[in-house]
C-alpha cells in the first residue's frame, strides 16, 4: 500500500493509546495500546475483573481516564458520538420501567434527533425495521417487564441497530439468553460486519468465542494478545490471560482440544 | 395545643385579609353543609387561593413524583423535603416576615445543600445511599426545628411558621399562588420539551451518556425542579408530609399504566384530586391541618388503584385467578364426560349425572353444580329432567382438545423426556389447561402425529376439533384416523 493511498483512508474506528483506568486508585486497565481496524468483529475475552466492560466504557467516554487517550475515527469520542452504538448489560436497567418495547428501541434514535425534538414517522419506521430484524416486531407494544431474558437482549440489540452507527460496543450480549436468541445475535453481528461496521463484543464463554468471532482481544488488565482468532486462541496465550485459575484452565484445555 | 399555631396563622392572615375576619367567627356556628356551599361558591379569596394552590401543587408534585418513583429515588425526595426546613427558618429570619420569595430561596438552597451532602457522603465514604439519606434527613430536620423554635420564642411578628410542618392550604396567599404558578408552569414546560431526555436518562443513564446526552445536567435540572416543587408545596402540605404528595399519587399511577407519559399524566391528576380534596375537607373542619388531609386523600387514591387497578390491582388478580380455576374446573368436567363416553366406546350421546359423579369421585350435588356451570357457558345441555348431560358442539370440541392436550403431553414426556409412563399423569393434569394451539401443533410434529398415548388410549384427532362433531361409532371414525 503506497503512502498517498493511506492518506485518503479513514482513520481507524478505534484507537487506544497508553490508556489507564483506575477505580479507587486500583488500576483496572493499564497502559492499553490498541488499534482496531474497520470491519472487524472482535470478541473481548478475559477473566472476571479483567477490565472488559471497563475497556468499552472507557472507549465510549463513560469513565474518567487516568492517563492516555481514546480516538474514535481519529477524533475524541465527543465528536463522533453518533457513530457509536451501545448494548449495555441487560441487568443495568430496571425492566419494570413503564416503557414499551417500541419506546426502548426509539431511544436508539434519540441521539440523532437533538434536544427537544420528538421521534418522527421515519424514526418509527427505522425502529420497526430493527425490531423486525431481531424478530421482536410482534412485541412492539408490550411492556418490557413481560419479556424473557433473550427477548430483553434482542430489544437492546434492536435499539443499538436503530442507532445506525459505524462502531458498536456490546457488553455480554450472550449472557443468559436462549439458544434461538444466541444464534439470532450471531447472525446480526455477522450482517453488521459484512456492512463494514466495527464491533467489539465482551464475551465470557470460551468455547463459543472461537466460533463467533474472527478476531479476539485477550484482556487481563493489559492486552495479552489481539489478532485473528486462529492465531490468538492458543493454549499458552489463554493460560496467561486466565493465569492460574484452574477451573478456567480446564475449560481452556477442553476448548483448545476441541479446536485441534 | 396543636391548633394554637394554626389559629395564630389565621390571625396573621385575618390581619392581612379583611374578608377573612367574619369567617373565623362563623366556624363554630355554621354547619358543615353551609361551609361546603361556601367552598363551592368560591366567594372567599382564601378558598380560591387554597383550591388553585392545591391544583398547582398537585400537578408539579405529581410530575416530579412520577420521575422519582420510576428512578427509585422516593427516599431522596423524602430527604430533600425534610432538608428544606432550616432554609425556611433562615428565609424567615432574612427580614423577619413570611416573605414567600425569601423563604422559597432559603428552602431551595437548603434542599439542594441536603442533596449535595447525600452525594458527598456517598462518594467519599463507604456508607451507602440509604444511610447517607437517613443522616441528612434527620440532621437538617433537627436544625430546622431548633431554628423554628427559636423564632417562635422571639418577640415581635412571629407565629405561623408551624404551618410549614403540617401545612395549611388556608394560609396560601396571592404571592404564594404566583410562585406556585411559575414553578408548576416551569415543571410542565420543561417536562414537555425535554420529555425524551428525561425518559432516556431515567431508564438507562449509561446508554444516554453514550448517545451524547448531558446526563449530569439533566439530573441536576430534575433535582432542581424537584426542590422547587417541594418548596412551593410546603405551605399547603408541610415539610413532614410533602414527600407523600410526591410519592403516593405517582405510585398509584404506576399501578395503573405501563407507559411513562400516561404515568405522568395520571400522577398529576391524582395529585390535583388529592390536593383539592384535602383543601376542601380542611376547610370544613378547620382544626385539622391540610397536609395530612391531602396525604390521606392521596392514600385513598392509591388504595383504589391497589385494589381495583385493571392489571396490577389485587382484586383483579384475585378475580383472574378465580376465573382461571373455574375454567380449569369446567374443563375437568368436560374431560370426565369424554372419559365416560370413551369407556362405553362412544355409544350414545348423554352422560347421566350419576356416571359423571362416579367418574369424578364426587357427590351428585357437586356433579349437578358442575354441569350447571357447563350449561351456563353453553358447553352442555341438560336432558331427562336434568338428569343427563349432553355436550354442545363447542363443549365437545373443548373436551376433545383437553383430552388431546393431556395425552399428547403424556406421550411427549414419555418419549422425549424419558419419564416413566406412570409419572406423567399429574404433570399433564396441569399442562392440559395451558397449552396453546401453537404448542400443540409443535407437539404433534415432534411426536410424528402419533395416535395413541403411553397408556394405549386413542388421542382425539384433528378432525374432531375442526368439525366439532359429536361422537358416534367406533373410536377410529371418531378421531378421524384410519389405519395407516
Amino acid at each position: 500500500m503506497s503512502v498517498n493511498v493511506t492518506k485518503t483512508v479513514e482513520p481507524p474506528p478505534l484507537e487506544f493509546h497508553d490508556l489507564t483506568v483506575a477505580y479507587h486508585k486500583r488500576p483496572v486497565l493499564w497502559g492499553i495500546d490498541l488499534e482496531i481496524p474497520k470491519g472487524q468483529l472482535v470478541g473481548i475475552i478475559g477473566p472476571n475483573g479483567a477490565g472488559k466492560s471497563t475497556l468499552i466504557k472507557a472507549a465510549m467516554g463513560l469513565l474518567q481516564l487516568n492517563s492516555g487517550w481514546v480516538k474514535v475515527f481519529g477524533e475524541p469520542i465527543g465528536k463522533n458520538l453518533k457513530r457509536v452504538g451501545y448494548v449495555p448489560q441487560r441487568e443495568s436497567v430496571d425492566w419494570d420501567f413503564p416503557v414499551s418495547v417500541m419506546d426502548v428501541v426509539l431511544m436508539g434514535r434519540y441521539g440523532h434527533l437533538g434536544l427537544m425534538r420528538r421521534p418522527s414517522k421515519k424514526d418509527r419506521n427505522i425502529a420497526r425495521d430493527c425490531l423486525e430484524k431481531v424478530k421482536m416486531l410482534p412485541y412492539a407494544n408490550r411492556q418490557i417487564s413481560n419479556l424473557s431474558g433473550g427477548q430483553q437482549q434482542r430489544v437492546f440489540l434492536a435499539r443499538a441497530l436503530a442507532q445506525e452507527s459505524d462502531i458498536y460496543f456490546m457488553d455480554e450480549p450472550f449472557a443468559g439468553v436462549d439458544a434461538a436468541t444466541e444464534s439470532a445475535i450471531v447472525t446480526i453481528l455477522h450482517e453488521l460486519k459484512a456492512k463494514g461496521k466495527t464491533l467489539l463484543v465482551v464475551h465470557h464463554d470460551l468455547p463459543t468465542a472461537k466460533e463467533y468471532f474472527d478476531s479476539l482481544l485477550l484482556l487481563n488488565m493489559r492486552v495479552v494478545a489481539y489478532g485473528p482468532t486462529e492465531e490468538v486462541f492458543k493454549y499458552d496465550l489463554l493460560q496467561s490471560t486466565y493465569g492460574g485459575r484452574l477451573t478456567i484452565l480446564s475449560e481452556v484445555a477442553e476448548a483448545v482440544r476441541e479446536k485441534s | 395545643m396543636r391548633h394554637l399555631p394554626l389559629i395564630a396563622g389565621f390571625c396573621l392572615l385575618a390581619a392581612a385579609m379583611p374578608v377573612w375576619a367574619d369567617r373565623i367567627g362563623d366556624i363554630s356556628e355554621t354547619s358543615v353543609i353551609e361551609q361546603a356551599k361556601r367552598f363551592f361558591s368560591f366567594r372567599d379569596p382564601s378558598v380560591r387561593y387554597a383550591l388553585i394552590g392545591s391544583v398547582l401543587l398537585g400537578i408539579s408534585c405529581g410530575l416530579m413524583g412520577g420521575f422519582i418513583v420510576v428512578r427509585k429515588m422516593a427516599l431522596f425526595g423524602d430527604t430533600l423535603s425534610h432538608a428544606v426546613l432550616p432554609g425556611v427558618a433562615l428565609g424567615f429570619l432574612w427580614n423577619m416576615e413570611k416573605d414567600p420569595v425569601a423563604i422559597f430561596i432559603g428552602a431551595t438552597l437548603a434542599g439542594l445543600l441536603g442533596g449535595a451532602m447525600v452525594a458527598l457522603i456517598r462518594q467519599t465514604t463507604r456508607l451507602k445511599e440509604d444511610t447517607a439519606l437517613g443522616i441528612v434527613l434527620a440532621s437538617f430536620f433537627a436544625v430546622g426545628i431548633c431554628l423554628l423554635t427559636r423564632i417562635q420564642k422571639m418577640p415581635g411578628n412571629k407565629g405561623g411558621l408551624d404551618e410549614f410542618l403540617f401545612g395549611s392550604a388556608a394560609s396560601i396567599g396571592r404571592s404564594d399562588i404566583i410562585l406556585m404558578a411559575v414553578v408548576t408552569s416551569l415543571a410542565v414546560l420543561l417536562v414537555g420539551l425535554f420529555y425524551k431526555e428525561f425518559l432516556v436518562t431515567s431508564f438507562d443513564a449509561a446508554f444516554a451518556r453514550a448517545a451524547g446526552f448531558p446526563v449530569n445536567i439533566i439530573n441536576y435540572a430534575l433535582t432542581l425542579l424537584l426542590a422547587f416543587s417541594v418548596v412551593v408545596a410546603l405551605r399547603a402540605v408541610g415539610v413532614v408530609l410533602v414527600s407523600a404528595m410526591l410519592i403516593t399519587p405517582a405510585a398509584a399511577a404506576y399501578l395503573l399504566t405501563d407507559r411513562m407519559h400516561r404515568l405522568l399524566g395520571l400522577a398529576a391528576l391524582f395529585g390535583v384530586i388529592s390536593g383539592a380534596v384535602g383543601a376542601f375537607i380542611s376547610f370544613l373542619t378547620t382544626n385539622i391541618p391540610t397536609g395530612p388531609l391531602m396525604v390521606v386523600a392521596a392514600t385513598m387514591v392509591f388504595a383504589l388503584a391497589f385494589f381495583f387497578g385493571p392489571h396490577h390491582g389485587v382484586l383483579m388478580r384475585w378475580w383472574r385467578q378465580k376465573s382461571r380455576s373455574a375454567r380449569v374446573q369446567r374443563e375437568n368436567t368436560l374431560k370426565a364426560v369424554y372419559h365416560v363416553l370413551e369407556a362405553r366406546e362412544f355409544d350414545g350421546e348423554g352422560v347421566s349425572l350419576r356416571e359423571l359423579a362416579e367418574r369424578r369421585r364426587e357427590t351428585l350435588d357437586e356433579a349437578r353444580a358442575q354441569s350447571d356451570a357447563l350449561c351456563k357457558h353453553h358447553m352442555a345441555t341438560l336432558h331427562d329432567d336434568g338428569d343427563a348431560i349432553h355436550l354442545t358442539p363447542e363443549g365437545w370440541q373443548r373436551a376433545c382438545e383437553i383430552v388431546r392436550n393431556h395425552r399428547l403431553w403424556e406421550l411427549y414426556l414419555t418419549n422425549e423426556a424419558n419419564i416413566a409412563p406412570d409419572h406423567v399423569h399429574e404433570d399433564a393434569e396441569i399442562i392440559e389447561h395451558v397449552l396453546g394451539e401453537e404448542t400443540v401443533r409443535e407437539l404433534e410434529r415432534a411426536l410424528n402425529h402419533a395416535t395413541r398415548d403411553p397408556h394405549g388410549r386413542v388421542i382425539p384427532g384433528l378432525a374432531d376439533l375442526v368439525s366439532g362433531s359429536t361422537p358416534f361409532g367406533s373410536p377410529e371414525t371418531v378421531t378421524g384416523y384410519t389405519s395407516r
Side-chain angles (χ1 to χ4, degrees):
Chain A
M1 207 179 277
S2 63
V3 178
N4 56 353
V5 173
T6 49
K7 259 190 136 61
T8 58
V9 164
E10 202 181 29
L14 188 63
E15 191 181 355
F16 295 97
H17 178 78
D18 194 24
L19 178 88
T20 299
V21 180
Y23 288 129
H24 304 296
K25 293 185 181 162
R26 204 171 58 86
V28 181
L29 290 173
W30 190 28
I32 305 284
D33 275 299
L34 194 65
E35 196 181 305
I36 310 280
K38 190 168 183 274
Q40 290 262 2
L41 171 52
V42 185
I44 304 175
I45 308 290
N48 289 333
K52 302 186 295 282
S53 295
T54 307
L55 185 76
I56 63 171
K57 282 182 183 157
M60 287 182 292
L62 299 183
L63 299 174
Q64 199 89 45
L65 308 183
N66 292 62
S67 72
W69 47 255
V70 185
K71 278 184 180 171
V72 175
F73 295 104
E75 293 192 84
I77 176 77
K79 299 206 169 165
N80 270 324
L81 284 167
K82 284 183 194 169
R83 301 184 68 177
V84 173
Y86 180 30
V87 178
Q89 284 189 19
R90 202 152 42 84
E91 297 78 29
S92 65
V93 304
D94 170 16
W95 288 94
D96 281 329
F97 200 90
V99 284
S100 69
V101 166
M102 190 64 179
D103 291 336
V104 175
V105 179
L106 273 176
M107 287 178 194
R109 302 300 306 157
Y110 283 7
H112 294 267
L113 292 176
L115 288 178
M116 297 202 292
R117 294 264 307 280
R118 290 284 168 84
S120 65
K121 184 126 191 153
K122 186 182 146 229
D123 294 312
R124 288 184 175 277
N125 287 337
I126 292 172
R128 214 178 294 275
D129 291 344
C130 296
L131 274 174
E132 179 79 70
K133 269 184 207 141
V134 298
K135 302 196 182 72
M136 284 293 288
L137 194 53
Y139 298 85
N141 294 320
R142 287 261 191 110
Q143 205 259 326
I144 53 172
S145 62
N146 299 327
L147 304 177
S148 73
Q151 291 171 330
Q152 291 174 350
Q153 196 64 60
R154 288 178 202 214
V155 172
F156 263 13
L157 192 62
R159 179 176 69 172
L161 291 177
Q163 291 186 285
E164 297 188 323
S165 310
D166 296 315
I167 177 164
Y168 282 97
F169 296 98
M170 306 192 180
D171 205 342
E172 304 239 5
F174 297 106
V177 303
D178 52 290
T181 300
E182 189 152 342
S183 71
I185 296 176
V186 171
T187 311
I188 286 168
L189 292 185
H190 283 280
E191 276 172 20
L192 288 171
K193 184 194 164 226
K195 284 185 196 157
K197 315 279 188 188
T198 310
L199 301 111
L200 277 87
V201 180
V202 174
H203 194 60
H204 64 291
D205 183 46
L206 273 178
T208 50
K210 64 177 196 292
E211 287 171 35
Y212 293 166
F213 305 107
D214 39 31
S215 56
L216 287 178
L217 171 61
L218 303 189
L219 191 74
N220 194 349
M221 216 159 85
R222 310 199 54 158
V223 175
V224 178
Y226 167 61
T229 304
E230 60 269 21
E231 287 173 26
V232 173
F233 203 84
K234 290 278 158 54
Y235 184 81
D236 50 339
L237 286 176
L238 290 168
Q239 193 185 29
S240 60
T241 309
Y242 284 89
R245 287 161 202 252
L246 285 174
T247 50
I248 305 281
L249 269 184
S250 58
E251 201 183 325
V252 172
E254 183 68 17
V256 171
R257 197 175 54 78
E258 269 176 33
K259 196 186 176 199
S260 49
Chain B
M1 270 316 279
R2 195 138 62 83
H3 353 117
L4 259 184
L6 220 76
I7 292 167
F10 285 157
C11 295
L12 198 83
L13 267 148
M17 259 178 275
V19 200
W20 260 77
D22 54 346
R23 203 206 122 181
I24 285 177
D26 288 347
I27 289 167
S28 50
E29 292 127 45
T30 49
S31 69
V32 170
I33 295 159
E34 282 295 304
Q35 280 292 89
K37 269 191 198 155
R38 217 167 138 170
F39 184 88
F40 286 111
S41 71
F42 304 117
R43 251 186 314 136
D44 280 323
S46 64
V47 168
R48 286 204 295 272
Y49 289 151
L51 202 62
I52 296 170
S54 317
V55 168
L56 290 173
L57 88 87
I59 294 173
S60 56
C61 283
L63 279 182
M64 289 303 117
F67 281 108
I68 68 167
V69 166
V70 299
R71 283 173 165 238
K72 302 185 207 118
M73 283 168 54
L75 285 180
F76 179 80
D78 199 23
T79 300
L80 191 131
S81 59
H82 280 77
V84 300
L85 195 58
V88 172
L90 291 175
F92 182 80
L93 283 173
W94 182 256
N95 48 10
M96 295 307 288
E97 62 174 348
K98 287 202 288 185
D99 174 9
V101 177
I103 289 176
F104 177 83
I105 293 171
T108 307
L109 288 179
L112 294 179
L113 184 68
M117 291 295 289
V118 171
L120 188 74
I121 293 173
R122 212 189 45 197
Q123 281 160 18
T124 55
T125 69
R126 59 166 76 179
L127 296 172
K128 302 294 180 285
E129 171 126 5
D130 56 337
T131 309
L133 288 170
I135 292 170
V136 170
L137 184 151
S139 55
F140 274 63
F141 194 61
V143 171
I145 294 284
C146 292
L147 285 174
L148 276 184
T149 317
R150 292 293 300 164
I151 290 168
Q152 215 91 83
K153 297 245 166 69
M154 273 155 65
N157 189 5
K158 55 172 183 176
L161 268 175
D162 266 18
E163 75 201 21
F164 282 107
L165 284 185
F166 298 110
S168 159
S171 73
I172 293 175
R174 197 182 153 75
S175 44
D176 294 306
I177 289 289
I178 293 171
L179 207 56
M180 287 174 121
V182 168
V183 165
T184 305
S185 320
L186 191 69
V188 172
L189 196 72
L190 287 182
V191 169
L193 287 178
F194 296 101
Y195 174 70
K196 136 177 146 275
E197 285 77 8
F198 283 132
L199 182 70
V200 69
T201 46
S202 301
F203 175 62
D204 191 345
F207 178 85
R209 198 167 279 145
F213 287 98
V215 173
N216 286 340
I217 293 175
I218 293 169
N219 285 344
Y220 291 140
L222 202 62
T223 312
L224 193 65
L225 275 181
L226 180 65
F228 284 169
S229 305
V230 164
V231 172
V232 296
L234 280 189
R235 255 305 161 74
V237 194
V239 168
V240 180
L241 288 173
V242 67
S243 65
M245 283 302 283
L246 291 168
I247 298 164
T248 313
Y254 201 173
L255 293 184
L256 295 179
T257 176
D258 282 337
R259 300 295 294 280
M260 189 65 189
H261 59 276
R262 286 191 209 126
L263 187 152
L264 291 177
L266 280 177
L269 177 71
F270 294 160
V272 167
I273 292 173
S274 341
V277 169
F280 173 61
I281 298 176
S282 88
F283 185 81
L284 296 186
T285 57
T286 40
N287 55 354
I288 304 178
T290 325
L293 289 171
M294 287 187 178
V295 173
V296 168
T299 310
M300 295 294 209
V301 175
F302 178 80
L304 286 178
F306 178 77
F307 287 110
F308 303 109
H311 293 296
H312 310 290
V314 171
L315 218 65
M316 284 314 286
R317 281 217 301 269
W318 172 81
W319 175 253
R320 272 202 297 274
Q321 200 177 347
K322 198 173 132 69
S323 57
R324 193 161 42 229
S325 64
R327 181 174 63 85
V328 167
Q329 183 73 262
R330 283 198 303 278
E331 289 176 351
N332 284 337
T333 312
L334 287 173
K335 193 172 62 174
V337 172
Y338 184 98
H339 284 152
V340 170
L341 289 170
E342 185 183 46
R344 59 163 127 101
E345 299 189 330
F346 302 102
D347 182 21
E349 203 182 346
V351 170
S352 74
L353 289 188
R354 204 169 41 77
E355 282 176 300
L356 188 64
E358 272 168 17
R359 173 78 213 175
R360 298 209 62 186
R361 296 198 189 94
E362 285 172 344
T363 65
L364 210 56
D365 285 339
E366 280 167 327
R368 195 178 303 280
Q370 276 154 24
S371 36
D372 284 347
L374 283 185
C375 294
K376 225 166 69 188
H377 285 83
H378 309 294
M379 292 196 156
T381 46
L382 287 180
H383 296 266
D384 303 344
D385 298 330
D387 204 36
I389 179 169
H390 289 205
L391 296 188
T392 62
E394 297 99 85
W396 173 246
Q397 180 171 343
R398 190 69 196 137
C400 288
E401 277 169 7
I402 292 298
V403 173
R404 177 179 181 71
N405 289 352
H406 184 103
R407 293 183 181 170
L408 277 173
W409 189 249
E410 283 191 341
L411 191 63
Y412 181 74
L413 286 185
T414 318
N415 289 6
E416 309 291 315
N418 290 324
I419 298 174
D422 56 339
H423 283 55
V424 294
H425 177 77
E426 295 298 314
D427 195 45
E429 280 290 298
I430 301 161
I431 297 297
E432 65 191 13
H433 302 287
V434 295
L435 282 182
E437 208 171 316
E438 199 72 2
T439 323
V440 171
R441 298 283 163 272
E442 228 167 276
L443 279 176
E444 279 174 348
R445 275 195 296 279
L447 295 170
N448 233 343
H449 300 274
T451 55
R452 298 217 173 238
D453 77 357
H455 312 291
R457 285 173 308 205
V458 171
I459 300 173
L462 257 184
D464 304 297
L465 306 194
V466 176
S467 68
S469 62
T470 28
F472 294 107
S474 70
E476 265 69 29
T477 46
V478 170
T479 57
Y481 287 111
T482 47
S483 51
R484 14 173 190 168

